[in-house]
């Protein structure tokens, strides 16, 4: 790498390195897969077992999913930050995007529940925002489509004739908006970086 | 037509690669630079030292677990030098 360079070679080095730096995102697939599975299970449990116990009707599956997901995400995040070789400004933006989403989500959740409403539709619509933007920032199309799918799912849930249809739409959105992009992202991450 | 002189610190393939990598990130550690430049450890250390001496990068040495960890970050001076270098290169290529 010490040979004299022509201007063309210099430009190629710059372009190649900047391209590589652009691809140096933290591993995010874990979060999409984790939350996709947990929230699908929570919705399924809420719908299928609603008649079995009062606690299920009052959101116990969502509380379990939230606490378990939060604990596992924190554990994974701290483990990853110890291993990260690079601090990318885009990672920081994505981190704060999701942090602000969680704050807004909790506020919507509590205010809607206090007013006696169902937060499923506003939360589904809101979920589309960070998913869509993460996809745009990372230039990863499946997440962009996933974000748009959450918006469509929120509208479909609002118009759904019964709770069963609403639950099915939510689960389908989680599957196609989080889990499938999560699997594709994991494959991309594994291809980009050696294990 | 007079061409702008190229900064001799940056006009080296490995040093230019290091600075170009650091332009896109806030901070990168030694292993990241090693992976992406394809350089040897020894050569990378030497060139990082030269960039540090020129004031183009900030080098912090710490520990990650039981192992030493060297982190590099581009300084404002380094970023300015890189921008001037890119402008000069564009001039040579007739794109300025």
């Amino acid at each position: 790498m010490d040979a004299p360079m022509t201007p063309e070679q210099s430009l190629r080095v710059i372009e190649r390195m900047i391209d590589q730096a652009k691809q140096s995102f933290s591993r995010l697939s874990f979060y999409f897969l984790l939350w996709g599975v947990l929230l699908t299970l929570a919705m399924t449990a809420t719908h299928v077992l609603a008649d079995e116990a009062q606690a299920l009707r009052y959101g116990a599956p969502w509380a379990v999913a939230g606490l378990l997901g939060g604990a596992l995400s924190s554990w994974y995040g701290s483990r990853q930050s110890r291993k990260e070789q690079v601090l990318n400004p885009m990672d920081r933006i994505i981190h704060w995007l999701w942090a602000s989403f969680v704050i807004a989500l909790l506020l919507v959740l509590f205010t809607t529940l206090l007013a006696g409403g169902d937060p499923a539709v506003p939360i589904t619509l809101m979920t589309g925002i960070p998913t869509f933007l993460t996809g745009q920032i990372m230039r990863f199309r499946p997440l962009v489509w996933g974000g748009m799918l959450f918006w469509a799912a929120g509208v479909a849930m609002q118009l759904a004739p019964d709770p069963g249809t609403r639950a099915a739409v939510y689960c389908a959105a989680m599957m196609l908006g989080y889990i499938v992009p999560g699997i594709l992202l994991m494959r991309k991450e594994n291809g980009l970086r050696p294990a | 037509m007079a061409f702008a002189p190229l900064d001799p610190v940056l006009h080296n393939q490995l040093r230019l690669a290091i600075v170009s990598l650091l332009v896109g990130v806030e901070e990168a550690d030694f292993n990241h630079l090693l992976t992406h430049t394809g350089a040897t450890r020894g050569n990378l250390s030497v060139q990082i030292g030269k960039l540090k001496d020129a004031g183009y990068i900030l080098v912090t040495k710490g520990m990650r677990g039981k192992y030493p960890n060297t982190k590099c970050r581009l300084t404002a001076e380094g970023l300015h030098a890189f921008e001037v270098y890119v402008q000069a290169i564009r001039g040579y290529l007739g794109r300025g």
Side-chain angles (χ1 to χ4, degrees):
Chain A
M1 272 206 163
D2 282 332
M5 289 187 294
T6 64
E8 287 85 357
Q9 285 171 327
S10 294
L11 203 60
R12 273 201 296 276
V13 169
I14 293 167
E15 285 171 351
R16 202 174 67 239
M17 291 301 136
I18 289 178
D19 273 351
Q20 291 196 23
K22 277 183 194 164
Q23 294 173 357
S24 304
F25 285 102
S26 292
R27 292 183 71 98
L28 295 176
S29 59
F30 173 83
Y31 302 105
F32 288 104
L33 291 170
L34 172 71
W35 286 101
V37 169
L38 284 176
L39 296 177
T40 302
L41 289 175
M43 178 56 103
T44 306
T46 302
H47 180 68
V48 174
L49 305 172
D51 297 332
E52 301 291 325
Q54 213 176 29
L56 291 166
R57 277 201 302 278
Y58 288 103
W62 298 101
V64 170
L67 290 173
L68 188 61
L72 287 172
S73 295
S74 301
W75 165 78
Y76 182 80
S78 67
R79 186 169 156 263
Q80 279 299 108
S81 67
R82 282 198 298 273
K83 285 164 61 179
E84 280 305 333
Q85 293 183 342
V86 63
L87 193 59
N88 189 318
M90 291 298 122
D91 277 339
R92 195 186 294 278
I93 291 171
I94 291 172
H95 169 85
W96 285 113
L97 173 66
W98 284 94
S100 59
F101 164 71
V102 170
I103 292 167
L105 180 142
L106 291 173
L107 291 173
V108 167
L109 188 68
F110 289 125
T111 50
T112 311
L113 289 175
L114 280 175
D118 182 352
V121 169
I123 285 178
T124 305
L125 290 169
M126 280 171 57
T127 303
I129 300 170
T131 309
F132 178 85
L133 287 175
T134 301
Q136 291 288 10
I137 291 167
M138 296 179 73
R139 295 182 187 172
F140 187 65
R141 288 269 152 211
L143 280 176
V144 173
W145 288 108
M148 292 194 281
L149 189 77
F150 279 113
W151 294 331
V155 174
M157 286 165 72
Q158 183 68 41
L159 301 174
D162 57 82
T165 309
R166 185 181 284 211
V169 170
Y170 182 85
C171 290
M174 273 295 152
M175 182 66 72
L176 297 172
Y178 267 12
I179 296 175
V180 171
I183 292 168
L184 296 173
L185 186 57
M186 186 171 65
R187 290 173 62 176
K188 188 181 173 204
E189 288 166 349
N190 289 341
L192 281 176
R193 293 173 182 193
Chain B
M1 180 183 171
F3 288 107
L6 292 172
D7 183 341
V9 177
L10 289 181
H11 197 57
N12 164 282
Q13 202 165 339
L14 183 49
R15 290 196 292 272
L16 183 61
I18 295 167
V19 170
S20 302
L21 275 171
L22 292 175
V23 163
V25 300
E26 285 185 23
E27 192 176 74
D29 77 5
F30 187 85
N31 287 331
H32 180 80
L33 297 174
L34 196 66
T35 306
H36 290 282
T37 58
T40 62
R41 284 185 171 272
N43 196 12
L44 186 61
S45 287
V46 169
Q47 305 310 333
I48 284 175
K50 287 184 181 176
L51 288 168
K52 183 186 163 199
D53 292 343
Y56 289 2
I57 65 172
L58 201 65
V59 179
T60 47
K61 291 181 188 288
M63 296 294 283
R64 174 176 284 166
K66 295 176 189 169
Y67 304 99
N69 184 239
T70 302
K71 289 180 179 171
C72 301
R73 181 186 286 261
L74 199 64
T75 62
E77 195 182 341
L79 180 61
H80 176 70
F82 179 76
E83 286 168 350
V84 169
Y85 181 85
V86 170
Q87 202 56 43
I89 287 289
R90 288 169 68 91
Y92 276 91
L93 295 172
R95 299 185 194 177

